[in-house]
Amino acid sequence: MDIAPDGVVLSTCARFAALLKKRNIHNFLGTSLLDVFPRLGKTDTPLTPGLFRQGLPGTIDLRVQGPGSKCFIIRWIPTPRYTPAAGGWQLTGLKILAKAFSESTDRRHTFPEMEPSLPESAANLIKQVSDIIVTTDLEDRIIYWNNAAEKFYNIPSHMAIGQSLRQLVHYDYLDTTEDEAYKTLREKGIWEGEASYVSSAGKKSYLICSIRYVRDSNRRITGIMALNRDITEVKLVQQDQQRAEMQLRHYSEQIAGILESITDGFFVLDQHFRVTLWNREAERITRLSAAEILGESIWDKLPELIGTDTWQSFHKAFKKKMTVTFEQYYERTDRWLEMSLYPSDQGVFAYFKEVTLRKKQEALLALEKKVLELNTAKRMNLRALLNYFLKGIQKIFPGMYCCVLTLDEDNLSVRLLSAPGLPAVYAHAIDGLPIGPKAGSSGTAMYRKESVIVPDIATDPLWEEHRDLTLQFGLRACWSIPVINGRDEVLAAFAVYYTTVKSPTEAEMDTFERIANLVAIIIESWKAEEMEEKLLKQELNKQKLIAQAIVDAQEKERAEIGKELHDNINQILSTTKLYLELAKNDNKERMSLINRSAGNIHNAIHEIRNISRSLVPASIGDLGLQDSVADLVESIRTTKAIHVEFYPAGNFDERINDKAKLMLFRIIQEQVNNVLKHSGARNLIIELMLEDAENRIELSITDDGKGFDPGKAGKKGLGLSNIMSRADLFGGTVTIQSAPGRGCKLRVQVPA
């Protein structure tokens, strides 16, 4: 309703017009409000002409008694009008009914309506609502300020009305600015949003704000209404919740970061075995992403585990609420996992890590130990032992096919020693292939004496000559390492094949070299045993030769003794017997025959003494080796058959025992006899000396005879075999330097 400065009614709203019609007031335009309101009811403030000139009160309550109805109140809110044409007032009416004012009433209505059952005090209810209601004119001057506004801003109504709202109250708009808010109001006729307000005491509050235009019945804008609701407590709760959520999110992120930083695989199962957490290490080890397994039953995603130790361990942890630790091999991925289960009320936490390398190393160590035991016991031949070893390796490392190739006696081609995993046709085909700079992996490794790694046989030039054969059997990669002994000699090559293109990792190369080293130990031990057997056989043959030589020497000595006894002493004694028989009957020649017999007996005794001296010289035990050799030399000189000289040096009699002395004396006797019988020499030099630096005794016998070719001369004919046999028994060595026409030098070296 528009009221002129003098109180004349200019226009009205439809509801008020209906009310006037009921009271038979059909034409009120141009009528003074002083006449209209008294005809409708009673006002709480008496209306006088001076009020319109001085200024109307904040509210005018008009009590109306409708026909056949209870009394109700229309609260009129006067708003000064400021128009270029004239001033005046605009009265906005609020019909107060009996029903209590509801805070939930739609804020978009300028004022809510009440039911007709309100008591008389309900006239002031609009000022008691909890929402802050402030109305301004188009110049931003406050024209209405309810109780909630007084309480919230701590500013009485009479001090607020007439003030500039934007100067009196300052807001911080949360998602926009004040200018943007009023711009939206101008464009859309309404702005809604949130703002904060700081009181003079420094208290910060939060508000839900709604700003809209106030319009008259002709839709003309007459002012601006601001409806605010204090949501500080709600906002603080929300902020607390947000902080809690942020803390929880931060905590969750920290937990997630910790879980992701765990080097072990980690996952969580609920009571139904559904996966609720699955970290990155679990993804890497199992090759299952978190996206495809979260929320799913672990047994549905990994059905191959049902019935295994893993399955039983999880059920044990769930049922008995106990920690369970176990190891399990997963054939699908060729991996060993070590897992620890920790039950909780919500399910179970599982930590696991891959221990494949450790388990394979343990298995390899056990295999190596067994192979070394078999190698020591020699219960298998070399080929069978290597087959056992390589089969064990292939079982530990599925997909690896091993073989061992050795060199032929010509050192130019390979011989297959063991290949339990390779196709028999292929193994037979590579047996006997030559080694060289482009002879596949093993042939090249033997030739170069270095490891040869071929990741792809189909493209590597080393396999050019054998590529078709190898690819025919599905072999794509081959690594080979030569087996070399301490003398830098190639014994064999250890090789592994794969059916896929493959390069070795550092761990695989370490394992590869470890296996090759054990193959080298096995082969070298067998080679050493073969050599030992060969040397033992040679030593046995040598001992047989020595024994035979000793027997031959003894037989020779017996034959010579027998010959001396038969041809010399026997003849002397036979002649003596004849002389004695003749002396019995011949008195005339008796004394002469007896004298001859006595001479013969004397000669026989002398010959027997010589034989005894040659067999066991008394001087060896009594006088020592040096004097015994000097006595022998003197007896040779008396025969004047050859000129003999003896040169001893060193106190060797104290460094060797009687048996060694006798051995050296027999060698001197034997060689002197050889010289006298076969050489035709005129001079003979015997040297016997002790070499302290080498801790040995050296015997040298040199003659100037006709000599001979040592390579063609028979050892038995010259008695040299007897000499060598005697020296061998005492660890000595014999060397002969001779040539036709250049004499002979015999050197014997015996440890002191």
Side-chain angles (χ1 to χ4, degrees):
M1 178 185 296
D2 294 335
I3 306 298
D6 56 1
V8 177
V9 177
L10 301 177
S11 63
T12 186
C13 62
R15 285 191 302 170
F16 190 61
L19 176 62
L20 294 175
K21 186 177 181 180
K22 289 180 180 180
R23 295 301 179 91
N24 296 317
I25 304 176
H26 301 287
N27 187 8
F28 59 88
L29 295 177
T31 306
S32 172
L33 186 65
L34 300 176
D35 182 48
V36 175
F37 272 16
R39 295 171 62 182
L40 292 173
K42 183 179 179 180
T43 61
D44 60 339
T45 302
L47 299 178
T48 63
L51 286 176
F52 295 98
R53 291 188 293 272
Q54 298 172 2
L56 292 176
T59 59
I60 301 174
D61 290 343
L62 174 65
R63 188 179 302 275
V64 179
Q65 179 66 50
S69 65
K70 294 182 179 180
C71 178
F72 63 92
I73 297 173
I74 297 177
R75 169 165 287 179
W76 296 92
I77 302 173
T79 303
R81 294 187 63 200
Y82 300 95
T83 63
W89 299 86
Q90 179 177 357
L91 270 64
T92 303
L94 173 66
K95 184 179 180 181
I96 301 177
L97 304 178
K99 187 177 180 181
F101 188 82
S102 175
E103 293 185 9
S104 62
T105 305
D106 189 355
R107 296 183 311 177
R108 297 184 182 182
H109 292 88
T110 305
F111 296 100
E113 292 186 347
M114 297 289 183
E115 293 295 333
S117 58
L118 269 177
E120 292 185 7
S121 60
N124 295 320
L125 186 60
I126 188 64
K127 292 186 68 68
Q128 305 301 326
V129 295
S130 60
D131 286 353
I132 302 165
I133 302 175
V134 178
T135 305
T136 69
D137 58 22
L138 295 178
E139 300 297 328
D140 193 43
R141 283 187 288 270
I142 300 171
I143 60 177
Y144 181 74
W145 188 267
N146 75 343
N147 289 351
E150 290 183 342
K151 183 178 179 181
F152 181 79
Y153 298 111
N154 196 25
I155 301 174
S157 176
H158 68 275
M159 294 181 63
I161 292 177
Q163 299 287 329
S164 170
L165 177 62
R166 295 174 71 174
Q167 292 181 358
L168 183 65
V169 179
H170 177 70
Y171 297 104
D172 287 327
Y173 295 83
L174 299 186
D175 298 323
T176 185
T177 63
E178 186 177 45
D179 292 340
E180 288 294 327
Y182 278 92
K183 179 181 178 181
T184 302
L185 174 66
R186 290 192 297 271
E187 293 175 352
K188 299 182 178 180
I190 186 173
W191 174 85
E192 292 181 335
E194 293 186 11
S196 65
Y197 170 75
V198 179
S199 69
S200 59
K203 178 183 177 182
K204 187 174 184 178
S205 303
Y206 294 91
L207 303 167
I208 292 180
C209 304
S210 175
I211 305 175
R212 64 182 63 241
Y213 285 122
V214 177
R215 299 176 184 271
D216 60 14
S217 59
N218 295 322
R219 303 300 299 168
R220 289 178 299 179
I221 298 174
T222 60
I224 298 173
M225 174 179 287
L227 180 62
N228 301 334
R229 176 170 294 177
D230 186 0
I231 59 168
T232 302
E233 293 184 2
V234 176
K235 195 69 174 179
L236 292 177
V237 171
Q238 290 178 345
Q239 289 178 347
D240 290 341
Q241 290 177 343
Q242 290 175 353
R243 282 194 294 268
E245 290 175 357
M246 290 179 63
Q247 291 176 351
L248 180 60
R249 184 163 55 251
H250 179 66
Y251 177 72
S252 300
E253 290 174 353
Q254 286 183 326
I255 293 297
I258 292 173
L259 293 178
E260 294 302 336
S261 66
I262 295 175
T263 56
D264 293 350
F266 176 78
F267 63 91
V268 180
L269 302 181
D270 63 14
Q271 292 288 350
H272 302 288
F273 295 99
R274 290 189 294 262
V275 180
T276 61
L277 193 149
W278 192 266
N279 76 342
R280 291 180 183 175
E281 185 64 13
E283 290 181 319
R284 187 192 68 79
I285 294 176
T286 63
R287 301 170 188 170
L288 288 174
S289 67
E292 61 181 311
I293 199 169
L294 286 177
E296 301 288 337
S297 169
I298 193 170
W299 311 129
D300 292 340
K301 301 303 292 185
L302 300 171
E304 67 271 16
L305 298 182
I306 297 177
T308 64
D309 291 343
T310 301
W311 186 85
Q312 295 174 357
S313 297
F314 271 95
H315 281 78
K316 181 179 179 181
F318 269 103
K319 291 180 180 178
K320 297 186 177 181
K321 297 297 182 181
M322 61 182 296
T323 300
V324 179
T325 300
F326 64 96
E327 292 179 347
Q328 179 75 44
Y329 175 70
Y330 300 93
E331 187 174 358
R332 181 170 68 92
T333 57
D334 184 32
R335 292 184 176 186
W336 278 92
L337 297 181
E338 180 183 79
M339 187 170 294
S340 297
L341 307 179
Y342 301 94
S344 67
D345 293 337
Q346 291 75 32
V348 66
F349 298 91
Y351 292 85
F352 65 101
K353 60 183 177 180
E354 185 177 350
V355 292
T356 305
L357 181 60
R358 174 174 64 80
K359 295 295 291 185
K360 288 184 179 294
Q361 293 298 325
E362 289 175 356
L364 181 59
L365 182 62
L367 176 63
E368 290 172 339
K369 182 179 178 181
K370 180 64 176 179
V371 169
L372 288 174
E373 290 175 355
L374 294 174
N375 184 56
T376 302
K378 292 296 185 291
R379 291 196 292 266
M380 298 181 178
N381 60 36
L382 178 58
R383 186 181 299 275
L385 181 60
L386 287 175
N387 283 340
Y388 177 85
F389 183 36
L390 299 190
K391 286 180 180 178
I393 293 171
Q394 293 169 174
K395 185 176 181 181
I396 297 172
F397 302 98
M400 177 190 291
Y401 302 98
C402 308
C403 76
V404 175
L405 300 169
T406 187
L407 272 177
D408 202 351
E409 293 180 357
D410 59 7
N411 291 333
L412 297 177
S413 57
V414 301
R415 287 297 175 187
L416 183 65
L417 195 55
S418 175
L422 292 177
V425 176
Y426 179 77
H428 178 73
I430 63 176
D431 187 26
L433 292 177
I435 66 173
K438 292 177 62 178
S441 295
S442 295
T444 307
M446 289 182 174
Y447 180 81
R448 295 179 181 175
K449 294 184 179 181
E450 62 183 24
S451 298
V452 174
I453 307 300
V454 176
D456 188 0
I457 294 175
T459 60
D460 198 290
L462 295 180
W463 282 86
E464 184 176 351
E465 297 181 6
H466 314 296
R467 179 177 297 127
D468 294 340
L469 171 67
T470 308
L471 295 179
Q472 178 183 347
F473 293 93
L475 303 174
R476 290 299 304 272
C478 183
W479 317 334
S480 183
I481 184 170
V483 177
I484 302 175
N485 63 14
R487 297 183 298 276
D488 197 36
E489 298 172 344
V490 176
L491 300 178
F494 170 69
V496 292
Y497 288 84
Y498 290 93
T499 56
T500 59
V501 175
K502 183 176 176 63
S503 296
T505 63
E506 184 177 352
E508 286 174 329
M509 279 302 299
D510 291 341
T511 301
F512 181 45
E513 292 176 355
R514 174 177 170 179
I515 295 171
N517 288 336
L518 185 54
V519 170
I521 292 173
I522 294 173
I523 293 177
E524 282 195 285
S525 68
W526 279 89
K527 293 286 186 182
E529 185 171 350
E530 290 177 356
M531 181 61 68
E532 185 178 349
E533 291 179 355
K534 183 177 180 180
L535 293 175
L536 180 59
K537 187 175 181 180
Q538 291 177 349
E539 185 64 23
L540 290 175
N541 292 334
K542 184 178 180 180
Q543 293 297 330
K544 290 180 181 179
L545 292 175
I546 293 174
Q548 185 63 43
I550 292 174
V551 171
D552 292 343
Q554 291 174 347
E555 291 297 326
K556 180 181 178 182
E557 289 177 349
R558 290 191 182 98
E560 290 180 349
I561 293 172
K563 183 178 180 182
E564 289 292 332
L565 292 175
H566 179 271
D567 295 343
N568 193 4
I569 298 175
N570 185 55
Q571 293 297 327
I572 293 173
L573 293 178
S574 296
T575 303
T576 303
K577 181 180 179 183
L578 178 60
Y579 286 164
L580 292 176
E581 291 292 335
L582 292 175
K584 290 180 181 180
N585 300 317
D586 190 350
N587 293 328
K588 184 178 179 180
E589 296 292 332
R590 178 177 297 163
M591 292 306 298
S592 175
L593 292 171
I594 291 173
N595 290 332
R596 289 181 182 178
S597 297
N600 286 343
I601 292 172
H602 175 76
N603 291 335
I605 293 172
H606 179 73
E607 290 295 330
I608 291 172
R609 184 182 293 115
N610 288 336
I611 293 174
S612 299
R613 182 182 298 168
S614 65
L615 292 175
V616 183
S619 57
I620 293 294
D622 298 336
L623 302 177
L625 178 59
Q626 181 174 335
D627 291 340
S628 297
V629 174
D631 186 54
L632 175 62
V633 169
E634 187 61 29
S635 63
I636 296 173
R637 286 175 180 168
T638 59
T639 63
K640 298 182 180 180
I642 192 172
H643 176 70
V644 182
E645 295 182 8
F646 175 48
Y647 299 104
N651 193 11
F652 43 78
D653 274 316
E654 296 181 0
R655 300 290 297 274
I656 56 177
N657 57 32
D658 291 345
K659 291 183 179 180
K661 294 176 185 178
L662 180 59
M663 177 270 297
L664 290 171
F665 183 78
R666 292 299 188 197
I667 289 176
I668 294 172
Q669 275 188 319
E670 185 70 39
Q671 183 61 9
V672 170
N673 187 47
N674 288 337
V675 171
L676 292 175
K677 288 183 177 181
H678 305 291
S679 70
R682 292 183 295 176
N683 297 290
L684 180 65
I685 299 174
I686 301 174
E687 299 174 279
L688 186 62
M689 62 191 72
L690 173 64
E691 296 181 348
D692 288 319
E694 288 79 11
N695 193 32
R696 68 187 181 191
I697 295 173
E698 182 169 330
L699 169 65
S700 176
I701 303 174
T702 307
D703 68 76
D704 59 356
K706 59 185 179 180
F708 60 93
D709 185 355
K712 297 181 179 179
K715 295 181 180 179
K716 289 185 179 180
L718 297 177
L720 295 177
S721 60
N722 291 337
I723 294 174
M724 293 180 179
S725 298
R726 294 181 187 276
D728 285 340
L729 289 174
F730 289 87
T733 60
V734 177
T735 58
I736 300 172
Q737 298 176 358
S738 181
R742 303 186 62 178
C744 177
K745 182 175 183 179
L746 175 73
R747 292 183 62 193
V748 179
Q749 293 176 328
V750 180

